[in-house]
């Protein structure tokens, strides 16, 4: 008896209201009814976030991801590493994002033919075939308004008729024959601070997660090396496949032939062993009175270790307890909203000016008779600091080999709050 | 809602467009089944018309809409005849969409589908590889049993296609055919076997996938390809990596013995395993006392390590499970960092990774303890993530961190997510049982929670307290009283049942309360949950036995209620209890023991992790996630007690040669024996006939297609390979740079190429070799070479005699070197001696296992193309002569150094009768001259070989080079490095020999140079450029060893470069021939210290 059909058998795309709006089968057809098991699981889970990614049904296994308000549900028949499927589904979603600018139901429906062509190329018999964006774009051109007009007149198509050379070469991530009049290479060093701050303001946990995103528009086959002033800071790094691992191991230099366009070069972590500078502090006093239908809410935000840069784009989000009916608050700066249904308070603060610290004060109306909330809600804080990598990481230089021209180079640093939570 | 196709429609014609517009709408939002159905019919009619039209744009529109229907899951099968006609369309997009349609519906319309087959058969012969590949893809996707033979034929052909892309598709097609017709298994296995030998990184992942699907039990097919797969792994695309790693994990568990030794006393069976292992060792002398890892085992572990840095979570997880399952336990620690990194990814990845960490953290706490805080829960995490993190935190809890953790748990208990809060309480209970120091703290904490406002929290606390109290019942009367009071308020059945059970169990400790509780319960017995009712019955029974005076009536009342309960479980239980406790005539012997039965000492429940036993599933698999065996799950076998024969993985030379022939054809036509014998003859003849013109301008560097060469002579094919490898070298460099194993980097081989070009004219003593380098060789190789030499020792003499045949390294390199002698095809660019990095990597991989005895001459690692002027054309009246050292063992005599002399006629007349006369040689030296050359045409050039026995000295050999008319005195003085022949030996042998050559026989010096000159590849490059030495695999990064013997006396010459702190290094030479030794030292020193 053959153990039939490994890997991904079928894919269903399902929107939030439970409509299956696209299906694709790589092997024989699996009925839509298999999704009923998924809906069942979805119902059981309180919210979308809690739908288990792996569901077992009598004849199949369903592995799903939730992205941009859509479920990508794949049908599997036999043993397969679940991460393999999950990672692939995310790659599919990334590709849609890349092609259509957004990964939404409308975009997918509008481009259903391209979606189908993409899925056809990305998977053969359930096994990934071409997943590199550079290759796919040579096989199937992304839609543009101009091209669809031209195509409809000339009858020409979005489908390339030559095999992308990249697919055959050892640099499968780069397409051949790239030409630009302006040769540019930009790098964004983006660091996010993940932190949990406890009631008293001390740091329970903090670490820095960083990525370097690149936008490379260079002609020909450039060979780049990017070096850092202080590479030892990077505790744990993951690489785009283009990076030569050995160079990094021996010299801590990122040496690579880049893909064309936008891509993530590395992600890294600066370990929690290093002290992480926390750029903001929050003073808070939230209290609910026993046997009374109101409480007090008062928070103030101030800058802490901000390396002399302005902290901007501050937003505070609070999931208030269920018993909260409404909130009457006055911000000294920015504006706030409270959604009485989801109980989410959002305060859009903006910039911090050290002279006058922004604060938000006022009364909380509680459901009368209900017991007072056990715990004060956590504050989730977002902020941004331009031109600063909080870890102190600095790019030393970028060299290009293999091509004659002089590219324009640029590096930008940003620090953001990642999962930044203040317990109150 | 408006689709692209809608937009097209508007342009294609007025009335039609509006109609289509409506339909497009209805496609997307089906209004009513009936209306939809009718419009479907109509639409299909006009779709048919559009498909029949002769305008491509109309066809394309139609196809696009049909694909839209398929995507929606609508039935478009009735269009099959109209669509299939377009399969041969010239328009590639129409064609592709027709393919999509065909694959979807062919199974349903088998007869009609056959119409399309001939189109694919034609396309399979298309010159464009993309078309061939896609034809194969579609053909193999059509699930029509009748075409199985056609598919089989197509797959066979495609498996031998020149394009690796087509071969990749062939590998995919194998799986499809197998699922269509399992009868074909045997034949498919043959194709898999063939494709497994494929060297292309494109094919590797796909064929392993096919292997896993069709014949995962045929582990024997992997042996010969094992090392290749390990070495290719880094370069294979990410999806292939996952599949290969999983397969190799299984392979390793069947082929190597367990590396888990010292730290494995935990499990009994493992222990037994080792005991028996010890016995085994005594019996077999192959096994040594200390465990040595098979070098192939080490190779796998080493080559997968860089993949932990992959951006692809599946790859990282695959490597993690490989380390978990097959690496020594002390090395598995490196995976934790990478796994923790994955926790930043999206929730699905987190979910899977956390599950795996949970399983790992039970067995090896230490691995994840440093990352404890990374598992702290955020209020925004989804509940499933929170509970998994909690699970891990519990597993990691120990005496040292428990107080921190309990503080953290306190926050969690108050969480608004009550499900999570309840899970936290369970966790606290588990910590309390596992860590006795905190049991009391936890218990009092939990008691505090009993006054919590939230019922779920209270109920969960009750349940946990119950379990805790069961472990130490004596001391907690107060808590029980407190809990008895709770009965008035708490409503959650489990909690009420728990309290009742607790009171019943401890009824003698709370004699006053228990009967009262029973009274209260009796009052509203009927209103209770079934679970609670059962416990009321239990409580009644226990009290009846211990305190019948107070409770007899109450119990009987309850028993009566129970007798007429609606639930039969309760009726059952009532009857049972009544018979047991109320003595009557019928009740027999059992009632005597009622007290013992009811009040027996009950063992405390064990609070265990739900992940406790998951590790019997391979980590990272679906089965592990689901905790049940998934269909098609392949068990990971236990380590064998005795390793199967490791030599099965040795690859013969032909394997390698094949891998370098680019096309499948060439492989077939080069059966092993023929290849060998021919090449050896060839070698001989080319040496003796000595009529080569390798330095001339005959640039035969045409990259003509591969297949044609192999038949006529092996020499051709080898040079073909040669060029191929040279032309690929850029790409190779790419790969090599990333490669984990010991390869040279990009700049390195580029340098070498440059050097080769230069050295023809200038006397570049490789000063430019400062290059970007790659570090090499991990520290593990020591153990490899040891075990290797122990296990496979071959006698010296035999080895020397048979080296040409037996040693793959030797063979291969000499094949390549044929080029130097080859009169026809020697390319001017001379890319040859610089082996492409990947080849070297492969060779070294081979080298690990192939026999290496103490002194066996190997072939030169590198042949510098540096030539020396023998006779300048001005002084030679138009006759110019250059010579260089070919570094080959001389064919004229064992003690001679082989010298190649190239003669050029720069005059415009023939030069006749070129020969050698009047040898003036120092005592003892001998020379074998070439046969006189009758004539040399103008502009002609010829290369001849002479052999000179220099008697291991750098004395000059003088002789006269004569033509018909003139005689010219010339002389050859050998650089000391050319008086050597490389020797292959293991590190262990090297050390042994070195130990015998100390004192007077050792010379050394210190070198100072910039650090970039001390990278392994640069050192290797420099040393082998100066001297004809062999590389000794080194176990240490900072020590480089080279071995050679002198040509005349065969004395060993051992060179060691030992890197020190900063930018210094120590150069040591050990040899009996101290004079040559010190000369060599003097020559090497400036070269190594040069920038």
């Amino acid at each position: 008896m053959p153990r039939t059909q490994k890997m991904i058998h079928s894919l269903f795309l399902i929107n939030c209201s439970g409509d299956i709006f696209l299906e694709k089968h790589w092997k024989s057809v699996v009925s839509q009814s298999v999704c009923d098991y998924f809906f069942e699981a979805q119902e059981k889970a309180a919210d979308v976030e809690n739908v288990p990614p792996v569901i077992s049904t009598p004849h199949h296994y369903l592995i799903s991801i939730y992205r941009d308000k859509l479920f990508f549900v794949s049908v599997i028949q036999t043993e397969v590493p679940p991460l393999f499927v999950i990672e692939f589904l995310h790659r599919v979603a990334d590709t849609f994002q890349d092609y259509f600018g957004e990964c939404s139901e409308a975009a997918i429906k509008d481009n259903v033919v391209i979606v189908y062509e993409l899925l056809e190329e990305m998977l053969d018999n359930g096994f990934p075939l071409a997943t590199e964006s550079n290759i796919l774009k040579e096989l199937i051109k992304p839609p543009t308004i101009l091209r669809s007009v031209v195509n409809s007149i000339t009858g020409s198509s979005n489908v390339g008729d030559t095999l992308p050379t990249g697919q055959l070469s050892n640099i499968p991530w780069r397409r051949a024959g790239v030409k630009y009049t302006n040769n540019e290479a930009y790098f964004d060093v983006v660091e996010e601070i993940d932190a949990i701050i406890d009631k008293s303001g001390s740091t329970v946990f903090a670490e820095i997660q960083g990525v370097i995103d690149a936008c490379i528009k260079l002609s020909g086959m450039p060979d780049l090396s990017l070096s850092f002033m202080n590479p030892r800071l990077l505790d744990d790094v993951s690489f785009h496949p283009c990076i030569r691992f050995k160079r990094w191991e021996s010299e801590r230099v990122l040496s690579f032939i880049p893909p064309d366009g936008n891509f993530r070069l590395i992600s890294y972590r600066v370990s929690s062993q290093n002290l992480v500078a926390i750029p903001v502090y929050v003073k808070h006093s939230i209290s609910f009175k026993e046997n009374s239908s109101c409480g007090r809410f008062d928070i103030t935000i101030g800058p802490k270790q901000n390396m002399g840069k302005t902290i901007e784009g501050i937003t505070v989000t609070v999931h208030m307890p269920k018993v909260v009916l409404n909130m009457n608050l006055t911000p000294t700066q920015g504006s706030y909203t409270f959604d009485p249904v989801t109980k989410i308070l959002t305060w859009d603060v903006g910039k911090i000016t050290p002279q006058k610290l922004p604060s938000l004060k006022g009364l909380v109306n509680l459901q009368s008779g209900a017991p007072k909330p056990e715990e004060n809600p956590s504050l989730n804080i977002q902020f941004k600091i331009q031109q600063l990598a909080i870890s102190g990481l600095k790019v030393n230089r970028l060299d290009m080999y293999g091509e004659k021209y002089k590219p324009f180079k640029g590096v930008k640093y940003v620090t953001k709050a990642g999962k930044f939570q203040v317990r109150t | 809602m408006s689709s692209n196709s809608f937009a097209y429609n508007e342009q294609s014609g007025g009335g039609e467009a509006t109609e289509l517009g409506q339909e497009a709408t209805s496609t997307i939002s089906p209004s009513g089944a009936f209306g939809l159905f009718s419009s479907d019919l109509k639409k299909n009619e006009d779709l048919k018309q559009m498909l029949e039209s002769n305008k491509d744009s109309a066809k394309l529109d139609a196809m696009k809409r049909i694909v839209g229907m398929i995507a929606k899951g609508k039935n478009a099968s009735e269009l099959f005849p109209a669509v299939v006609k377009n399969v041969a369309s010239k328009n590639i997009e129409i064609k592709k969409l027709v393919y999509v349609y065909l694959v979807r519906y062919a199974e349903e319309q088998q007869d009609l589908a056959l119409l399309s087959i001939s189109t694919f058969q034609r396309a399979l012969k298309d010159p464009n590889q993309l078309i061939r590949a896609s034809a194969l893809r579609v053909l193999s996707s059509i699930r029509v049993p009748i075409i199985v033979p056609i598919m089989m034929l197509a797959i066979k052909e495609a498996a031998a296609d020149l394009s690796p892309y087509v071969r990749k598709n062939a590998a995919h097609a194998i799986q499809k055919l197998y699922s269509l017709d399992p009868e074909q298994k045997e034949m498919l296995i043959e194709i898999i076997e063939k494709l497994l030998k494929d060297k292309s990184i494109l094919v590797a992942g796909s064929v392993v996938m096919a292997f896993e699907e069709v014949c995962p039990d045929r582990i024997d097919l992997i042996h010969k390809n094992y090392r290749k797969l390990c070495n290719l792994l880094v370069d294979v695309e990410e999806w292939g990596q996952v599949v290969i790693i999983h397969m190799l994990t299984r392979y390793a568990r069947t082929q190597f013995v367990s590396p888990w030794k010292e730290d494995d006393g935990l499990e009994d069976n493992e222990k037994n395993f080792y005991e028996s292992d010890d016995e085994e060792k005594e019996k077999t002398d192959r096994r040594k006392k200390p465990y040595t890892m098979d070098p192939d085992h080490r190779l796998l572990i080493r080559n997968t390590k860089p993949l932990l840095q992959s951006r692809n979570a599946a790859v990282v997880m695959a490597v993690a499970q490989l380390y978990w399952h097959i690496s020594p336990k002390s090395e598995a620690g490196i995976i934790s960092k990478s796994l923790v990194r994955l926790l930043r990814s999206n929730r699905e990845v987190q979910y899977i990774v956390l599950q795996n960490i949970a399983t790992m953290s039970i067995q090896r706490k230490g691995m994840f303890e440093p990352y404890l805080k990374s598992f702290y829960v955020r209020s925004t995490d989804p509940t499933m993530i929170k509970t998994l993190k909690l699970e891990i935190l519990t597993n990691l809890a120990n005496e040292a961190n428990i107080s921190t953790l309990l503080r953290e748990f306190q926050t969690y208990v108050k969480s608004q997510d009550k499900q999570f809060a309840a899970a936290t309480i369970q966790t606290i209970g588990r910590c309390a049982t596992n860590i006795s120091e905190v049991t009391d703290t936890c218990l009092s904490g939990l008691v505090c929670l009993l006054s919590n406002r939230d019922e779920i929290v209270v109920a969960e606390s009750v349940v946990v307290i119950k379990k805790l109290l069961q472990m130490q019942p004596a001391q907690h009367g107060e808590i029980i009283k407190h809990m008895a009071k709770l009965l008035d308020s708490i409503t959650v059945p489990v909690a009420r049942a728990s309290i009742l059970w607790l009171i019943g169990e401890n009824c003698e400790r709370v004699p006053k309360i228990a009967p009262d509780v029973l009274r209260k319960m009796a009052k509203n017995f009927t209103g209770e949950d079934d679970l609670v009712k059962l416990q009321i019955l239990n409580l009644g029974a226990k009290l009846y036995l211990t305190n019948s005076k107070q409770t007899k009536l109450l119990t009987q009342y309850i028993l009566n209620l129970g007798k007429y309960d609606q639930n039969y479980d309760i009726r059952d239980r009532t009857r049972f209890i009544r018979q047991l406790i109320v003595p009557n005539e019928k009740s027999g012997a059992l009632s005597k023991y009622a007290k013992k039965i009811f009040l027996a000492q009950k063992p405390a429940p064990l609070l265990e992790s739900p992940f406790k036993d998951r590790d019997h599933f391979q980590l990272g698999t679906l089965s592990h996630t689901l905790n049940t065996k998934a269909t098609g799950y392949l068990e990971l076998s236990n380590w064998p007690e005795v390793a199967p024969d490791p030599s099965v993985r040795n690859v013969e030379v032909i394997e390698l040669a094949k891998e370098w022939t680019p096309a499948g054809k060439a492989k077939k036509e080069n059966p092993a024996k023929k290849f060998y014998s021919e090449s050896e003859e060839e070698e001989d003849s080319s040496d003796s006939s000595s009529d080569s013109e390798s330095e001339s301008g005959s640039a035969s560097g045409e990259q003509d297609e591969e297949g044609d060469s192999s038949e006529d002579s092996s020499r051709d094919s080898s040079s073909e390979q040669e060029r191929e490898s040279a032309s690929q070298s850029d790409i190779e460099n790419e790969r090599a740079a990333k490669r984990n194993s010991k390869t040279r980097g990009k700049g390195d081989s580029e340098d070498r190429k440059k050097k080769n070009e230069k050295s023809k004219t200038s006397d570049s003593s490789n000063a430019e070799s400062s290059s970007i380098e790659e570090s090499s060789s991990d520290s593990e190789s020591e153990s490899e070479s040891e075990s290797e030499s122990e296990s496979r020792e071959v006698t010296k003499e035999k080895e020397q005699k048979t080296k040409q045949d037996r040693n793959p390294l030797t063979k291969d390199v000499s094949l390549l070197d044929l080029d130097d002698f080859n009169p026809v095809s020697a390319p001017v660019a001379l890319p040859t001696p610089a082996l492409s990095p990947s080849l070297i990597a492969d060779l070294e991989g081979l080298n690990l296992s192939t026999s290496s005895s103490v002194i066996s001459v190997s072939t030169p690692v590198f042949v510098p193309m540096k030539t020396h002027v023998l006779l300048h054309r001005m002084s030679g009246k138009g006759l110019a002569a250059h010579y260089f050292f070919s570094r080959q063992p001389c064919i004229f005599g064992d003690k001679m150094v082989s010298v190649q002399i190239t003669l050029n006629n720069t005059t415009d007349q023939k030069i006749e009768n070129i020969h050698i006369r009047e040898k003036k040689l120092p005592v003892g030296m001998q020379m074998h001259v070439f046969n006189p050359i009758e004539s040399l045409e103008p502009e002609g050039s010829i290369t001849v070989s002479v052999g000179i026995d220099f008697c291991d000295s750098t004395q000059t050999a003088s002789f006269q080079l004569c033509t018909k008319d003139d005689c010219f005195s010339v002389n050859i003085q050998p650089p000391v490095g050319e008086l050597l022949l490389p020797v292959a030996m293991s590190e262990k042998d090297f050390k042994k020999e070195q130990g015998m050559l100390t004192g007077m026989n050792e010379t050394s010096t210190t070198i100072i140079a910039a650090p970039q000159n001390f990278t392994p590849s640069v050192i290797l490059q420099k040393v082998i450029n100066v001297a004809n030495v062999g590389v000794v695999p080194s176990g240490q990064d900072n020590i480089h060893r080279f071995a050679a013997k002198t040509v005349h006396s065969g004395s060993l010459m051992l060179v060691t470069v030992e890197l020190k702190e900063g930018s210094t290094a120590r150069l040591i030479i050990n040899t009996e021939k101290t004079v040559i030794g010190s000369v060599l030292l003097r020559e090497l020193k400036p070269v190594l210290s040069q920038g």
Side-chain angles (χ1 to χ4, degrees), chain B residues 283-299:
Chain B
K283 284 176 202 157
T284 51
D285 49 356
R286 282 186 63 192
R287 203 77 80 69
K288 288 148 289 171
K289 272 281 174 206
Y291 163 79
T292 351
M293 188 180 268
D294 188 305
D296 288 324
H297 190 172
R298 172 54 67 198
L299 179 73

Short mmCIF file of all heavy atoms in Angstrom, two decimals, chain B residues 283-299:
data_model
loop_
_atom_site.label_atom_id
_atom_site.label_comp_id
_atom_site.label_asym_id
_atom_site.label_seq_id
_atom_site.Cartn_x
_atom_site.Cartn_y
_atom_site.Cartn_z
N LYS B 283 35.46 -7.66 23.14
CA LYS B 283 35.53 -8.68 22.11
C LYS B 283 36.16 -8.13 20.84
O LYS B 283 37.07 -8.70 20.28
CB LYS B 283 34.13 -9.20 21.78
CG LYS B 283 33.60 -10.15 22.85
CD LYS B 283 32.19 -10.52 22.50
CE LYS B 283 31.46 -11.01 23.73
NZ LYS B 283 30.01 -10.86 23.59
N THR B 284 35.66 -7.03 20.41
CA THR B 284 36.16 -6.54 19.13
C THR B 284 37.27 -5.55 19.35
O THR B 284 37.14 -4.60 20.12
CB THR B 284 35.04 -5.85 18.34
OG1 THR B 284 34.44 -4.91 19.23
CG2 THR B 284 34.02 -6.83 17.85
N ASP B 285 38.32 -5.75 18.64
CA ASP B 285 39.45 -4.85 18.84
C ASP B 285 39.27 -3.55 18.08
O ASP B 285 40.01 -2.61 18.25
CB ASP B 285 40.75 -5.55 18.45
CG ASP B 285 40.64 -6.18 17.09
OD1 ASP B 285 39.53 -6.14 16.51
OD2 ASP B 285 41.63 -6.69 16.59
N ARG B 286 38.29 -3.55 17.20
CA ARG B 286 38.08 -2.32 16.43
C ARG B 286 37.61 -1.19 17.33
O ARG B 286 37.85 -0.03 17.08
CB ARG B 286 37.05 -2.55 15.33
CG ARG B 286 37.63 -3.26 14.13
CD ARG B 286 36.61 -3.30 13.04
NE ARG B 286 36.27 -1.97 12.59
CZ ARG B 286 35.24 -1.73 11.80
NH1 ARG B 286 34.49 -2.71 11.38
NH2 ARG B 286 34.99 -0.52 11.41
N ARG B 287 36.88 -1.57 18.32
CA ARG B 287 36.33 -0.57 19.22
C ARG B 287 37.36 -0.26 20.30
O ARG B 287 37.93 -1.15 20.92
CB ARG B 287 35.06 -1.17 19.82
CG ARG B 287 34.09 -0.17 20.34
CD ARG B 287 33.30 0.49 19.23
NE ARG B 287 32.20 -0.35 18.78
CZ ARG B 287 31.14 -0.59 19.53
NH1 ARG B 287 31.06 -0.12 20.74
NH2 ARG B 287 30.15 -1.30 19.06
N LYS B 288 37.56 1.01 20.55
CA LYS B 288 38.48 1.36 21.61
C LYS B 288 37.70 1.68 22.87
O LYS B 288 36.52 1.92 22.81
CB LYS B 288 39.31 2.57 21.21
CG LYS B 288 40.31 2.26 20.15
CD LYS B 288 40.53 3.45 19.27
CE LYS B 288 39.32 3.68 18.40
NZ LYS B 288 39.38 4.91 17.69
N LYS B 289 38.40 1.74 23.93
CA LYS B 289 37.74 2.04 25.21
C LYS B 289 36.99 3.35 25.16
O LYS B 289 35.79 3.39 25.36
CB LYS B 289 38.77 2.03 26.35
CG LYS B 289 38.96 0.64 26.94
CD LYS B 289 37.81 0.29 27.90
CE LYS B 289 37.98 -1.15 28.33
NZ LYS B 289 36.74 -1.79 28.71
N PRO B 290 37.68 4.45 24.90
CA PRO B 290 36.91 5.69 24.84
C PRO B 290 36.10 5.72 23.56
O PRO B 290 36.56 5.24 22.53
CB PRO B 290 37.98 6.78 24.84
CG PRO B 290 39.22 6.11 24.35
CD PRO B 290 39.09 4.65 24.62
N TYR B 291 34.93 6.29 23.67
CA TYR B 291 34.07 6.37 22.51
C TYR B 291 34.66 7.34 21.50
O TYR B 291 35.06 8.46 21.85
CB TYR B 291 32.69 6.84 22.94
CG TYR B 291 31.85 7.33 21.80
CD1 TYR B 291 31.22 6.42 20.96
CD2 TYR B 291 31.71 8.69 21.55
CE1 TYR B 291 30.46 6.86 19.91
CE2 TYR B 291 30.95 9.13 20.51
CZ TYR B 291 30.32 8.22 19.68
OH TYR B 291 29.57 8.66 18.64
N THR B 292 34.76 6.93 20.27
CA THR B 292 35.17 7.87 19.23
C THR B 292 34.04 7.94 18.23
O THR B 292 33.50 6.93 17.81
CB THR B 292 36.42 7.39 18.46
OG1 THR B 292 36.92 6.26 19.12
CG2 THR B 292 37.40 8.48 18.31
N MET B 293 33.74 9.13 17.88
CA MET B 293 32.63 9.31 16.97
C MET B 293 33.08 8.98 15.55
O MET B 293 34.18 9.32 15.13
CB MET B 293 32.17 10.76 17.06
CG MET B 293 30.90 11.02 16.31
SD MET B 293 30.44 12.73 16.47
CE MET B 293 29.41 12.66 17.88
N ASP B 294 32.21 8.30 14.86
CA ASP B 294 32.48 8.06 13.45
C ASP B 294 32.64 9.40 12.74
O ASP B 294 31.85 10.31 12.96
CB ASP B 294 31.29 7.29 12.85
CG ASP B 294 31.58 6.84 11.43
OD1 ASP B 294 31.91 7.70 10.61
OD2 ASP B 294 31.45 5.63 11.16
N PRO B 295 33.68 9.55 11.93
CA PRO B 295 33.87 10.85 11.25
C PRO B 295 32.65 11.27 10.43
O PRO B 295 32.39 12.46 10.28
CB PRO B 295 35.07 10.62 10.36
CG PRO B 295 35.46 9.20 10.49
CD PRO B 295 34.75 8.61 11.65
N ASP B 296 31.92 10.31 9.92
CA ASP B 296 30.74 10.67 9.14
C ASP B 296 29.64 11.22 10.03
O ASP B 296 28.89 12.11 9.64
CB ASP B 296 30.21 9.44 8.40
CG ASP B 296 31.14 9.05 7.27
OD1 ASP B 296 31.69 9.98 6.65
OD2 ASP B 296 31.31 7.85 7.03
N HIS B 297 29.58 10.68 11.20
CA HIS B 297 28.63 11.18 12.19
C HIS B 297 28.97 12.64 12.52
O HIS B 297 28.12 13.52 12.51
CB HIS B 297 28.76 10.29 13.44
CG HIS B 297 27.71 10.50 14.47
ND1 HIS B 297 27.58 9.69 15.56
CD2 HIS B 297 26.73 11.42 14.58
CE1 HIS B 297 26.57 10.10 16.30
NE2 HIS B 297 26.04 11.15 15.72
N ARG B 298 30.24 12.85 12.73
CA ARG B 298 30.72 14.20 13.04
C ARG B 298 30.47 15.14 11.86
O ARG B 298 30.06 16.28 12.03
CB ARG B 298 32.22 14.12 13.37
CG ARG B 298 32.93 15.43 13.54
CD ARG B 298 32.30 16.33 14.55
NE ARG B 298 32.37 15.82 15.91
CZ ARG B 298 31.59 16.27 16.89
NH1 ARG B 298 30.71 17.22 16.66
NH2 ARG B 298 31.69 15.76 18.10
N LEU B 299 30.68 14.63 10.68
CA LEU B 299 30.47 15.44 9.47
C LEU B 299 29.06 16.00 9.42
O LEU B 299 28.84 17.17 9.14
CB LEU B 299 30.75 14.57 8.24
CG LEU B 299 30.56 15.21 6.86
CD1 LEU B 299 31.69 16.18 6.59
CD2 LEU B 299 30.51 14.16 5.77
#
